Amino acid sequence: MCVDVPHLRYVVAAAEHRSFRRAAGVLSVAQPTLSKRIRELEDRLGVMLFERSTGGAFLTTEGESFVTGAKRVLAELDSMESRAKAAKVGNAGRLALGFYTSLSSGALADTLCAFTEQYAKVDVNAMEAARSKLIPLLDRGVIDVAIVLGEPVHHDYASMSLWSERIMVALPKAHPLAERNFVYWTELKDERFLMSMHDPGSEIEDILLSKLTSPGARPNVKRVNIKHDHLLSLVNRKRGVSLICESSSGNMLADVVYREVRDGNGPSRLGYAAYWRRNNENPTLKRFLSLLKAHPAVPPTYNGTDI
């Protein structure tokens, strides 16, 4: 037996108003139409749902039970419709984000917080992974967007240049340079640098080598196979100093301080970019990209694909 949704709405309205005439007026249908549809439903069910009289329409025992179930069904249908409409415009649904920058602070952390507050019904799955893994995940559709270090170079994808972050040196609190507001590269030439073998260690090491390598002299670099944020515990134990992106400076340790590193032209910086598949029609992705673009750290004009 098939029960149409309009039949359910007619019965519930008639039960709530105890009148076919008033229910028809609320639903903007002709009273004969509403009466006919309710009679059709009663015939299909083989039970009387209403006692009809000149004083109105009143539910029978069977009708009360039916209306209780009908209200649950209509409420769930209305909820499904609301969720579908929200997902269509990006107010609900799913967003999978791949990244390898720190979320302790910075523009990405800001954007994620703003996104989850504004679109609380979107299920956000944030996945930290190396750049070498993020692009294949993007290819397979496992993630919607990848946030990676460097200017856009993967031209098979839509992309957007994002913010840049200052390079900071993490120093033991007792270090003589810790009293300074910033330090110059040349002041670090005798330090032991702890460098991660994970992203973004190679980019930071390249900058270190370009700043401190000279004929017959190279910086003292100790490469360790731990993630960049974990290097701070070694700095905390005075095993050396480390270079980090600005977003990692939100990781606070009692005996570690962060200072901007400069040369004669000012602070050294590393840029970030976002990549996504051109055929990705996920509306929540468009919402997220709009927030990324609107972040104050992203230049007003950017090198990338329009959202």
Side-chain angles (χ1 to χ4, degrees), residues 6 86 110 161 166 190 237 275:
D110 293 344
S161 294
R166 295 176 297 164
D190 296 324
R237 297 201 296 270
Y275 295 98

Side-chain angles (χ1 to χ4, degrees), residues 196-272:
S196 173
M197 297 170 65
H198 298 270
D199 293 328
S202 60
E203 284 84 2
I204 293 180
E205 185 174 346
D206 287 344
I207 291 179
L208 169 65
L209 294 175
S210 71
K211 299 295 184 182
L212 294 184
T213 299
S214 60
R218 288 175 63 88
N220 179 10
V221 176
K222 171 65 176 178
R223 299 177 182 86
V224 290
N225 191 22
I226 59 176
K227 289 188 177 180
H228 216 72
D229 289 349
H230 299 330
L231 284 177
L232 301 178
S233 62
L234 297 180
V235 175
N236 194 45
R237 297 201 296 270
K238 302 179 181 179
R239 301 283 297 276
V241 303
S242 186
L243 298 171
I244 63 171
C245 288
E246 187 175 357
S247 59
S248 294
S249 63
N251 293 311
M252 304 304 295
L253 293 177
D255 294 319
V256 175
V257 298
Y258 307 99
R259 297 293 181 260
E260 178 185 284
V261 187
R262 296 183 180 182
D263 58 18
N265 297 317
S268 299
R269 309 184 74 95
L270 284 172
Y272 284 83

Side-chain angles (χ1 to χ4, degrees), residues 9-236:
R9 298 198 187 279
Y10 294 157
V11 170
V12 170
E16 290 177 344
H17 295 280
R18 297 185 178 182
S19 164
F20 286 4
R21 178 181 59 81
R22 288 194 292 270
V26 169
L27 296 175
S28 299
V29 298
Q31 179 180 337
T33 299
L34 182 141
S35 299
K36 180 179 180 182
R37 295 294 179 261
I38 291 178
R39 176 64 70 184
E40 289 174 350
L41 180 58
E42 289 176 324
D43 291 342
R44 292 180 187 179
L45 296 173
V47 297
M48 293 291 294
L49 299 177
F50 292 93
E51 294 285 351
R52 297 151 172 89
S53 71
T54 55
F58 303 93
L59 287 171
T60 64
T61 301
E62 295 83 357
E64 290 178 354
S65 177
F66 183 85
V67 166
T68 298
K71 287 181 176 180
R72 287 199 300 267
V73 171
L74 291 174
E76 180 60 27
L77 287 173
D78 290 342
S79 177
M80 290 169 60
E81 182 180 2
S82 296
R83 291 196 297 269
K85 288 180 178 178
K88 183 177 181 180
V89 298
N91 294 330
R94 174 184 173 276
L95 176 72
L97 164 70
F99 67 98
Y100 67 74
T101 183
S102 174
L103 289 180
S104 62
S105 64
L108 181 57
D110 293 344
T111 303
L112 272 177
C113 287
F115 184 81
T116 54
E117 288 178 4
Q118 189 169 344
Y119 303 104
K121 294 183 179 180
V122 174
D123 180 19
V124 178
N125 179 22
M127 179 187 307
E128 182 179 7
R131 175 175 25 192
S132 59
K133 295 182 179 179
L134 289 177
I135 298 304
L137 291 176
L138 194 64
D139 261 338
R140 301 200 303 271
V142 176
I143 58 176
D144 294 297
V145 58
I147 309 295
V148 299
L149 201 63
E151 292 302 312
V153 294
H154 299 283
H155 302 301
D156 291 338
Y157 307 95
S159 62
M160 183 198 314
S161 294
L162 300 174
W163 51 83
S164 64
E165 293 186 3
R166 295 176 297 164
I167 295 179
M168 315 288 285
V169 59
L171 301 164
K173 198 170 186 177
H175 195 287
L177 293 175
E179 298 179 358
R180 304 273 300 279
N181 292 327
F182 60 87
V183 300
Y184 288 102
W185 284 104
T186 52
E187 295 175 304
L188 298 172
K189 61 184 178 63
D190 296 324
E191 298 294 334
R192 182 176 190 254
F193 291 92
L194 304 172
M195 302 299 299
S196 173
M197 297 170 65
H198 298 270
D199 293 328
S202 60
E203 284 84 2
I204 293 180
E205 185 174 346
D206 287 344
I207 291 179
L208 169 65
L209 294 175
S210 71
K211 299 295 184 182
L212 294 184
T213 299
S214 60
R218 288 175 63 88
N220 179 10
V221 176
K222 171 65 176 178
R223 299 177 182 86
V224 290
N225 191 22
I226 59 176
K227 289 188 177 180
H228 216 72
D229 289 349
H230 299 330
L231 284 177
L232 301 178
S233 62
L234 297 180
V235 175
N236 194 45

